[in-house]
Amino acid sequence: MIKREVGDMSSLKLSHIPFSVLDLAPIVEGGTAADAFRNTLDLARHAEQLGYHRYWLAEHHNMPGIGSSATSVLIGYVASGTSKIRVGSGGVMLPNHAPLVIAEQFGTLESLYPGRIDLGLGRAPGTDQVTMYALRRNNLSSGDEFPELLAELRGYFEPDSTGKRVRAFPGEGLDIPIWLLGSSGFSARLAARLGLPFSFASHFAAENTLPALDLYRRHFQPSDDLSAPYAMLGLNVIAADSDEEALRLATSMQLQFLNLIRNTPAPLQPPVDNIEEMCSEYEKIALSQRTNAAIIGGPDKVKEQLLRFVAETKANEIIVNTQIYDHEARLRSYEILAEVVKQS
């Protein structure tokens, strides 16, 4: 839980902060991946119309409720169906891939959709150990080699690599913003040392948010990419026309976390009337720890909690994940959030 005393919030304006979308292309119970992808593009188009700044897709594997495993492919699909919103990865798990492959993939995306592509990078596998072996074969690392992989990847984007035996075409000389993603202090320190923008996973590691931000901001070294620290924070937001409806919609997200706690991942399930009846006492505690930083409610409650979150964290940008079973209700949640931000 993020807790810090905050002062007067009357002068804080949410409309001064970019808001973005984090999408896992949720596959719902009774639906297919094809349905999920159509919903992703529909949401991206709505997000563009509503004024969201960027639309990121996350790499996960062996998860029956998440369709964004081939992240680069889906980024191209979303970028082709929109016209101005930035599209990127939140993130690509770099140790799962050869850096040259990612350079070529994102070089291709940037060449097709110039000035709109972001490359967010993580060091976790985005999956379990067995699936990690299926992805990496003999490269079962802990992620400690991430700085070296990152340096190799950035080298492929340098303007002139004529002295190198291996070069990225397309990729070489392209200006693709690179972000580091994290849920602990490792990537915070690395992003600070390299002078890169940093996105922290507050939506599932809320307790580490303030320490990681402090590390990033205290140790930040200006670079050609960035002159001052820039932190974007992930946040679970479920908005509806009433607090009661939002709480009910949020049970789909809670069921998803509950299935992960039980090691039984499943498609995103419909909301239920009383999730506590489905949990043991241990599971209630674990579920609370996973979801206690989520913002759930009607417009007034969402506004109040967002203002407090931004005041506590001093976030430069917020990227919002909204796991709702019904697609129309999910669209409505992002619409309510956009209205709250615009009017605040």
Side-chain angles (χ1 to χ4, degrees):
M1 172 77 80
I2 297 174
K3 291 184 178 179
R4 183 168 69 183
E5 292 298 320
V6 296
D8 181 22
M9 296 188 294
S10 60
S11 62
L12 183 59
K13 300 293 184 183
L14 295 176
S15 57
H16 294 172
I17 301 169
F19 276 73
S20 297
V21 176
L22 176 62
D23 185 12
L24 279 63
I27 301 172
V28 303
E29 187 176 280
T32 66
D35 298 327
F37 299 151
R38 283 190 290 268
N39 289 342
T40 279
L41 183 56
D42 189 42
L43 176 58
R45 287 169 170 165
H46 276 76
E48 185 171 71
Q49 293 171 358
L50 291 168
Y52 285 90
H53 185 53
R54 64 183 95 240
Y55 195 100
W56 278 9
L57 294 136
E59 178 185 349
H60 290 273
H61 301 278
N62 199 27
M63 302 286 285
I66 296 176
S68 52
S69 54
T71 315
S72 300
V73 176
L74 206 51
I75 288 170
Y77 173 63
V78 170
S80 70
T82 53
S83 60
K84 58 185 178 181
I85 194 169
R86 297 194 65 86
V87 188
S89 56
V92 160
M93 302 297 109
L94 186 56
N96 291 343
H97 311 277
L100 177 60
V101 171
I102 298 303
E104 291 172 340
Q105 288 178 356
F106 278 78
T108 299
L109 289 167
E110 175 64 21
S111 298
L112 289 168
Y113 312 105
R116 295 181 55 206
I117 301 300
D118 297 323
L119 176 50
L121 299 167
R123 61 187 283 264
T127 189
D128 56 82
Q129 290 286 323
V130 174
T131 309
M132 186 173 75
Y133 175 76
L135 285 164
R136 303 183 185 181
R137 308 311 293 180
N138 61 350
N139 180 22
L140 297 182
S141 67
S142 63
D144 291 339
E145 80 290 359
F146 180 73
E148 289 74 28
L149 295 174
L150 175 61
E152 181 183 345
L153 173 61
R154 296 180 78 192
Y156 290 125
F157 293 126
E158 290 175 356
D160 185 2
S161 300
T162 52
K164 297 181 179 178
R165 295 184 62 187
V166 180
R167 299 161 68 182
F169 300 114
E172 187 174 297
L174 295 180
D175 183 16
I176 303 171
I178 290 179
W179 292 67
L180 296 195
L181 282 59
S183 57
S184 66
F186 184 98
S187 291
R189 284 185 178 275
L190 184 59
R193 178 166 62 83
L194 298 176
L196 293 174
F198 178 53
S199 182
F200 187 81
S202 304
H203 57 301
F204 65 80
E207 68 281 1
N208 294 332
T209 302
L210 295 179
L213 288 176
D214 180 62
L215 280 173
Y216 175 61
R217 289 164 176 159
R218 278 194 299 112
H219 295 282
F220 183 84
Q221 299 178 29
S223 68
D224 293 339
D225 297 287
L226 202 60
S227 61
Y230 191 94
M232 177 168 66
L233 303 184
L235 193 59
N236 291 313
V237 179
I238 308 286
D241 291 304
S242 69
D243 291 350
E244 294 75 18
E245 177 62 12
L247 286 169
R248 183 174 180 278
L249 292 174
T251 59
S252 294
M253 173 186 70
Q254 293 169 322
L255 285 168
Q256 189 174 55
F257 278 121
L258 184 60
N259 286 327
L260 291 176
I261 291 166
R262 294 172 173 172
N263 197 29
T264 56
L268 189 66
Q269 296 170 263
V272 296
D273 292 330
N274 189 346
I275 193 169
E276 291 201 355
E277 294 178 348
M278 307 170 70
C279 304
S280 68
E281 290 303 315
Y282 163 76
E283 288 171 341
K284 288 177 185 178
I285 295 170
L287 193 58
S288 175
Q289 291 172 341
R290 293 287 189 100
T291 61
N292 62 8
I295 293 178
I296 302 168
D300 291 341
K301 189 170 184 180
V302 167
K303 176 183 176 180
E304 176 189 352
Q305 294 185 355
L306 272 177
L307 285 168
R308 177 164 292 278
F309 181 82
V310 172
E312 289 174 341
T313 62
K314 297 179 172 58
N316 299 101
E317 186 172 340
I318 302 293
I319 188 163
V320 173
N321 178 44
T322 300
Q323 294 293 84
I324 293 177
Y325 176 83
D326 180 74
H327 179 60
E328 293 302 320
R330 192 173 184 227
L331 295 179
R332 178 61 181 149
S333 180
Y334 278 105
E335 181 182 332
I336 290 171
L337 176 59
E339 291 170 355
V340 166
V341 170
K342 185 177 180 179
Q343 296 167 9
S344 301

